[in-house]
Amino acid sequence: MGLLVIGASAAGLSAATNARRIDPSLPVTVLEKSEAVSLGLCGLPYFVEGRVPAWAHLLAKPRAYFDGMGIRIRTCATVTAIQHARRRVTLAGGEEVAYEKLIYAAGAIAAPGPADAFSLSTLDGAMRLRRRLEESRPGRAWIAGGGYIGLEAAEALRARGWSVAIHHAGSYLLDREDPWLTGRLVAQLERHRVTVRLGERLEAVPAGDLLLWAGGLRPNCGLAVEAGVEIGRSGAIVVDEAMATNLPSLFAAGDCVETTHRVTGRPVWVPLGTTANKTGRVAGANAAGRRERFTGIAGTSIVRVCGLGAAATGLSEAQARREGFDAVSAVIDATDRAPYFRARPVSVQLVADRRSRRVLGGAVLGEYGVEGRVNVIATAVSARMDVEEFAGLDLAYAPPFAPVWDPLLVAARQLLKLLH
């Protein structure tokens, strides 16, 4: 019987490996509907670009690693039903697999697009797109969607010489309600000859052109719903801090679950690889008998857009106001190091609550050092730091790495002026 995990991506395999570390005697079986195990889907745009020569390079761990841990992985094993009262799942073809405890880590699925559209939500889709790019002369490509995949795909297609246009139904890129961030990203894309159309849906393209569908994701919760698992307002599975669902001995993790936002304290659905790994690890620990908890997210993310790093965490000013905060934000433009070390532009935005003076979020744009600076903001958000504390941080300085006044501190001092 033992532990059964549905899904062999980040959350499912983190759960399986952590459960085996905690209880080496626990039988663990993982069911995966595809042929790929431990595939890093976030690398698919770079595979399509050709920067990653073969899809096998995207595997986080080789199959032998899990075999060595005593984890049984069954690929091409599609679950069609969960009978949790009987502690059974049914596979396509009718076979039943028994379990004592179950971790549901089925991830997210892409919104469907036109039949002739390409996508980057699966390995098969990425391989199909790469074949098209390798077999065709560069032409005109249209991208439906302005999220992470859409922007990364634009860079990959431009690198291969294609003319690219992005159509996004919403008003803001990267699903972050932030006119400043969207404006800067649109300018960066247009500098690299990518046309951007906001507030426009793309349903069809001229014959012969390439259509890439990146219209968003949704939680893959269908089987869990049929089994009686509770779903939240976001459409994702409701779990507690132990990643337990409303059904006994049934846990869930990854892109199919809601998590708690550390600023608002409310449940949110933010599908990110970092969160999938962490929630999977906690689910595996608790399924193996240990008591661990996942305390939530700040929603920290980063993406490269035609050579520019764009990172954000916490809430934008508009999002914070909608959540009831008296939000104020500051934006500064600076450089990332001393001029004689080929300084590059960097921009920082910080958001705070006027009443509590608490740091609520922020964003960083630049060529270098973006990940380190946004991580500092994310730490401040999670620690409920106020702006005065943030402005007093003892950040590293040396001419090759940063100016004596780091752009984060400059932004904090500017925000203090607005708060007084």
Side-chain angles (χ1 to χ4, degrees), residues 350-353 356-359 385-392 411-413 415-416 419:
L350 287 178
V351 182
D353 177 41
S356 67
R357 308 175 77 83
R358 174 186 170 192
V359 177
M385 191 177 290
D386 63 40
V387 182
E388 285 84 355
E389 291 172 317
F390 191 97
R413 289 167 65 88
L415 189 54
L416 282 173
L419 290 171

Side-chain angles (χ1 to χ4, degrees), residues 389-397 409:
E389 291 172 317
F390 191 97
L393 287 174
D394 185 14
L395 302 183
Y397 158 67
L409 303 183

Side-chain angles (χ1 to χ4, degrees), residues 250-309:
L250 200 161
F251 301 83
D255 290 350
C256 58
V257 305
E258 291 184 339
T259 52
T260 301
H261 200 287
R262 290 188 177 181
V263 176
T264 66
R266 297 179 183 176
V268 292
W269 182 64
V270 182
L272 291 170
T274 50
T275 304
N277 277 282
K278 293 169 188 172
T279 55
R281 185 178 179 86
V282 171
N286 290 308
R290 185 175 288 179
R291 299 186 65 180
E292 293 188 6
R293 63 194 189 104
F294 181 73
T295 57
I297 64 167
T300 309
S301 63
I302 186 168
V303 63
R304 193 179 69 177
V305 181
C306 297
L308 181 72

Side-chain angles (χ1 to χ4, degrees), residues 77-135:
T78 302
V79 178
T80 59
I82 300 171
Q83 302 94 32
H84 190 60
R86 299 177 55 234
R87 301 297 194 270
R88 297 283 192 279
V89 301
T90 303
L91 305 183
E95 178 188 354
E96 290 191 346
V97 180
Y99 61 87
E100 180 183 357
K101 295 180 180 179
L102 177 67
I103 297 178
Y104 187 88
I109 52 179
D116 60 344
F118 293 87
S119 79
L120 279 175
S121 59
T122 65
L123 176 59
D124 287 344
M127 293 180 70
R128 176 172 167 254
L129 176 57
R130 179 160 163 166
R131 283 195 298 270
R132 166 68 187 276
L133 298 179
E134 291 175 342
E135 295 170 358

Side-chain angles (χ1 to χ4, degrees), residues 47-381:
F47 168 71
V48 166
E49 180 183 344
R51 185 177 299 270
V52 178
W55 70 265
H57 291 233
L58 299 176
L59 298 178
K61 297 285 186 183
R63 180 70 174 266
Y65 174 84
F66 304 102
D67 293 340
M69 293 192 68
I71 298 171
R72 185 190 182 202
I73 301 178
R74 296 182 57 181
T75 55
C76 300
T78 302
V79 178
T80 59
I82 300 171
Q83 302 94 32
H84 190 60
R86 299 177 55 234
R87 301 297 194 270
R88 297 283 192 279
V89 301
T90 303
L91 305 183
E95 178 188 354
E96 290 191 346
V97 180
Y99 61 87
E100 180 183 357
K101 295 180 180 179
L102 177 67
I103 297 178
Y104 187 88
I109 52 179
D116 60 344
F118 293 87
S119 79
L120 279 175
S121 59
T122 65
L123 176 59
D124 287 344
M127 293 180 70
R128 176 172 167 254
L129 176 57
R130 179 160 163 166
R131 283 195 298 270
R132 166 68 187 276
L133 298 179
E134 291 175 342
E135 295 170 358
S136 305
R137 302 180 67 177
R140 182 74 173 171
W142 305 78
I143 298 175
Y148 303 104
I149 295 297
L151 300 192
E152 289 172 337
E155 180 173 355
L157 290 167
R158 284 296 300 129
R160 284 188 172 267
W162 286 67
S163 175
V164 179
I166 295 175
H167 284 240
H168 183 56
S171 301
Y172 304 100
L173 296 176
L174 299 181
D175 294 324
R176 188 174 177 90
E177 191 177 347
D178 190 334
W180 170 77
L181 182 62
T182 291
R184 293 291 182 95
L185 292 177
V186 169
Q188 175 71 5
L189 288 161
E190 292 180 342
R191 275 195 292 271
H192 287 77
R193 300 192 301 279
V194 176
T195 302
V196 181
R197 295 287 182 264
L198 299 177
E200 294 185 11
R201 293 186 179 276
L202 183 62
E203 302 294 343
V205 302
D209 287 3
L210 186 153
L211 171 59
L212 175 64
W213 197 261
L217 301 172
R218 58 183 174 85
N220 187 11
C221 299
L223 291 174
V225 172
E226 293 172 4
V229 172
E230 181 183 357
I231 303 298
R233 294 180 63 182
S234 70
I237 296 171
V238 175
V239 291
D240 61 16
E241 289 186 332
M243 308 312 298
T245 70
N246 58 303
L247 300 182
S249 301
L250 200 161
F251 301 83
D255 290 350
C256 58
V257 305
E258 291 184 339
T259 52
T260 301
H261 200 287
R262 290 188 177 181
V263 176
T264 66
R266 297 179 183 176
V268 292
W269 182 64
V270 182
L272 291 170
T274 50
T275 304
N277 277 282
K278 293 169 188 172
T279 55
R281 185 178 179 86
V282 171
N286 290 308
R290 185 175 288 179
R291 299 186 65 180
E292 293 188 6
R293 63 194 189 104
F294 181 73
T295 57
I297 64 167
T300 309
S301 63
I302 186 168
V303 63
R304 193 179 69 177
V305 181
C306 297
L308 181 72
T313 188
L315 304 178
S316 70
E317 181 178 355
Q319 290 168 331
R321 288 185 180 278
R322 194 168 58 251
E323 292 291 341
F325 294 100
D326 185 5
V328 59
S329 67
V331 175
I332 64 98
D333 296 308
T335 53
D336 63 353
R337 65 193 73 185
Y340 47 86
F341 274 102
R342 298 183 64 188
R344 296 288 188 271
V346 61
S347 301
V348 176
Q349 176 203 63
L350 287 178
V351 182
D353 177 41
R354 189 182 298 276
R355 291 186 292 266
S356 67
R357 308 175 77 83
R358 174 186 170 192
V359 177
L360 302 177
V364 184
L365 296 172
E367 292 182 42
Y368 302 104
V370 173
E371 70 285 357
R373 290 187 170 97
V374 79
N375 285 341
V376 172
I377 303 174
T379 301
V381 168

